Structures are given as C-alpha cells and as structure tokens.
Amino acid sequence: GIGFRQARMAEVIAVRQWRGCRDEAITLDGQARQSGGQARYLASARLLEYCEAELGPNAAKGVTEERLHAYALSVQNHFKGGDVVRARGNLAKLKQAFPGKDLRYPDGASFIATMELLLGLRDREDVGEFVLVNANDTVKAELRRARYWKRN
C-alpha cells in the first residue's frame, strides 16, 4: 500500500511539474505571436521538448491528450521558427507516440495533413492532392499560389 501511494505521489508531482513547464512554453508561444519573433517560437518548441523528456513514462499515461496538444504545438512552433528539420522530426514522433490520433483546427482541417503539406512530406505536384487532404483552405490556396509561381 505504501509503495503504491509513494509511486502515485511521484506521478502526481511529475505531472504538476510537466504542466508548469508546458505553461511556460505556452506563455513563450503567446509572446512569439505578439512579437512575431522566430527565436521565441523556437524557444517555446524546445521548452516543450524538454518538458516531454522530463516526464516519466508512468506519469505520461495520465496526460495523454495534453501531451498530444503540446507535441503539436512544438511541431508548429519549430515550423514557425524556421527549423523545418526538427518540425518534421517532432511530427514523426507525434505520429509514433499517438498512432491514429489527430487534432482539428477550428475550421475542421486536420493538423497532421496540414503540417505534412507545409513541411513537404506530401507530393505538392499531385493535382488532386489539395482536394483529398483535409487541410485549411488558406494553406491550400498558398500552396497553389507557390506552385503557380514556381511553374510560371
């Protein structure tokens, strides 16, 4: 009984520390959005990675949905900060850590499909691709515009 309680208490403390760390990263993300600074986006993404690394495997089970959101934010912030390689790596980790799970933007677009398009993980030359992928209309329009100017 005592061993179980001690283990449970350690998990609760780890989750509290993770949430505090994540909240700091979210604050940095908000500051990055206000200032538009790439460095703050990257700092936020790296802090989210650190938070994840410090969270133990037992404590991680209790905050699965929150971790999914944090992973997604780290992917997005690496991309906004200009570190495409790490954004791709974190997207791969997200898909591996949360198989079959995805997030939706407010307009219903798929997070994974949108990020795969933006990160160049899907073939942008495929004509029907933009119709089949559940990505944001603004993203699709921007990719069509870039493809048009690349060809013309």
Side-chain angles (χ1 to χ4, degrees):
I2 291 175
F4 173 77
R5 287 187 192 136
Q6 288 174 337
R8 182 69 184 130
M9 185 56 119
E11 289 176 21
V12 169
I13 290 169
V15 167
R16 281 185 189 155
Q17 290 174 339
W18 179 84
R19 284 183 176 142
C21 184
R22 181 212 49 200
D23 291 346
E24 286 180 47
I26 290 173
T27 300
L28 278 174
D29 175 65
Q31 292 170 354
R33 272 188 264 143
Q34 288 178 349
S35 70
Q38 289 181 321
R40 289 195 183 184
Y41 279 119
L42 291 174
S44 172
R46 289 182 185 130
L47 184 55
L48 286 166
E49 289 174 351
Y50 172 78
C51 299
E52 182 66 25
E54 292 297 308
L55 184 64
N58 291 335
K61 295 174 187 172
V63 288
T64 304
E65 194 68 27
E66 292 175 77
R67 288 179 52 233
L68 175 62
H69 285 269
Y71 258 107
L73 185 60
S74 74
V75 171
Q76 192 168 289
N77 284 351
H78 273 303
F79 179 71
K80 288 179 178 180
D83 192 348
V84 175
V85 173
R86 278 184 91 169
R88 286 178 180 161
N90 280 4
L91 183 61
K93 288 178 187 177
L94 181 144
K95 290 178 1 183
Q96 182 181 10
F98 307 99
K101 295 210 176 205
D102 196 0
L103 296 171
R104 299 281 173 207
Y105 286 110
D107 65 355
S110 162
F111 172 79
I112 291 177
T114 299
M115 291 312 297
E116 285 176 343
L117 273 176
L118 291 173
L119 296 171
L121 298 172
R122 290 183 180 233
D123 182 18
R124 294 181 182 175
E125 301 300 319
D126 185 10
V127 176
E129 171 192 15
F130 298 124
V131 176
L132 297 175
V133 174
N134 184 13
N136 185 311
D137 290 336
T138 306
V139 171
K140 291 179 193 176
E142 183 62 23
L143 291 171
R144 284 187 186 109
R145 184 192 67 77
R147 182 172 55 192
Y148 173 81
W149 286 110
K150 183 178 176 184
R151 291 181 181 170
N152 297 317

